[in-house]
Every structure is written in C-alpha cells, then in structure tokens.
Amino acid sequence: MSLLSSTRRALLGLVAGLPIFRVAQAHGPDAFTLTPQFQAGQGHEYMMTTLQRRQGAVSRHARSRVRLEVVAPHGDGWRLRWMEMDSELLEPPVPSSALADPWDRVAIDFFISAQGDFHGLADPEAMRARMEATVEGQLAQMALDPGNAPQMPQIRAAMRQFVDNPDFLGQQLLKQPKLLLGAVGRDYRVGEPLELRGGVPSPLGTGEIPMLARFNVRSADARRVSLGWLMVVDRQSTARTLAAELQPIMDAAQTEGQEALQMDAALAGFDFDERGDYVVDAETAWPLQVSSERRSAAGDLERVDSVELVRVPG
C-alpha cells in the first residue's frame, strides 16, 4: 500500500470519529423538549452492533453490550459512566488470541449538563494512559507486517501526536455516548424540521468544520418519539481544515529521503455525510433505539461506519 493510500485510510478513520452532536442551538417555535430525566444510580444497558465497510467490503463487524449509568450529580449536571462489555468480533475471522479488547469493562466517566451538553472526560489523564497503551499495542501489531516497515516511523510519530491531544482523546472515547444521547436536550416541533447550522471540532480540535444538520419528527406521542437525522459538511472547507491541521504532523514525521506527502492531495475528492434514526422515551428522554450510518471518502477510498444501539429490556 502506498503512503498516500495509507494516509487517506488513516484520515477516514479520523473523520469517522468526529463528534457531531451538541453543536448548535435550535431556533423557532417548538412543541416539546427532550430533557434528560436522570437520577443517581439510574442506568440502562444496550446491545451495540458496529459494522465497518471499506470499498463496499466488510472490514469489521462487532457486537458488544454497553451500559450507560448515572453516577452522581455534578454541578448543574451529572457524572455519567459508559462501559462496553463482552465484545464479540463477528467478522472477519481472527485467531482467538487477537480477540481481547483492551477497553472491555473499562469505565469511561464524563460530565454532562442538565440539558444534555457534554463537558468532557472526568479523568482525562487516566484515559490518556490507557489509550497510549492501546496505541502501542496497535503499533506493535502493524510492525509485524514487513510491508509497513518503511512507514512505521512516520505512523508512530503521527499517532503519538493524536494520543497526546486531549481534544482528540475526548472525541474518540465519547463518540458512542454522544451518538446515543444525540437527540436529547433539544426542542422539537411536529411537522417542522429542526435545522442546526454551526461547526464541529475537527479531529485534532484546533479547527472547525462547517456543517448543516436536520432532525425530522416522524412521530410523537406520550410514550415515545421517533426522529430522523441527516448531516452534511462543506466538503471544500473540511478538506482545507484537515489538510492545514495534518500537514505539520506529516512534515514533522518525514524521514530523510522520503517523498514529502501533501495533505491537499491526500484529501482530494473528500466527502462526508451521516444519516440515522432515533426512538426516544418521551417522558424520560432515555434512548430506546439509535442507528447511524456515516460515510466518508477521499480519493479512491471510501469508508462507511454503521452503528446500532438497542436498549435491553429491564
């Protein structure tokens, strides 16, 4: 695989982790608000299925049980805990020794306001140390492939900068909790789309990507609310922002005699969109079922990440 192709693939992985919720305020008349009704000790479990496809072929298909729990009040909001358990890789087949998930049963605590705004990790230093160990394990596995040897110094240098960036760390670890709670804390009106214009933090947290998002109320009654979700970004602005952020990292990792990689070329033809569905308990705003499909493309590469979370009864 060429350096350009491997860099594009890494970029799609970064974009797949973009946080996209809690980015703008709703405007206009609304009929109801999905305000989370949390209580200390309260929690629900979900079955989470993730599917990743590259160029149309399945590259990873996994399933796990997750729990979202209200730990305690914190300021005007709450401390919540997210934990993934019993992770199972469905595709592709791998040796049993490679199935261990370093994040299985690891508590990821974070803060959220009473309205549902995310306020970051509760213990970022502990999470950074664990992420560092995870990345080192991934690098060790990559180094076993002789084809990766010429690129390993550059890959290692780039990944180290990501691990040391607190904004990137929070984005990666809170991606699924933000997806699950993405519809709460907003005002809705039946028959009128809720349009959100604003920006989302770029993968390294130093820039902003313009976006347009829209929620549509499909149905609403006293028991549950069904919503549709669609988001698109400004492709050219996003490509420029990502290229400007990543070029210094790639330049710093450049080895002597290696051809310089231009990030604007790596991001040629960049595209990105996401769509999904929410079913939410109308009284408590706890999600009942959430699904999302995120598509990102650059050059001749395309990646599609699908996630579904279904609440376990009880």
Side-chain angles (χ1 to χ4, degrees), residues 3-20:
L3 180 58
L4 180 60
S5 294
S6 61
T7 302
R8 280 177 173 161
R9 176 167 290 186
L11 284 171
L12 297 193
L14 290 177
V15 173
L18 281 173
I20 59 174

Side-chain angles (χ1 to χ4, degrees), residues 249-262:
I249 295 176
M250 302 308 294
D251 291 344
Q254 193 73 30
T255 58
E256 186 177 353
Q258 192 173 47
E259 182 181 356
L261 179 63
Q262 299 301 316

Side-chain angles (χ1 to χ4, degrees), residues 2 7 32-33 55 71 78 80 111 137 160 166 172 188 191 230 248 259 283 304:
S2 69
T7 302
F32 61 92
T33 302
Q55 280 67 261
V71 178
W78 300 90
L80 302 187
F111 299 124
R160 286 297 316 171
Q172 293 300 301
Y188 297 93
L230 173 66
E259 182 181 356
E283 182 177 354
V304 178

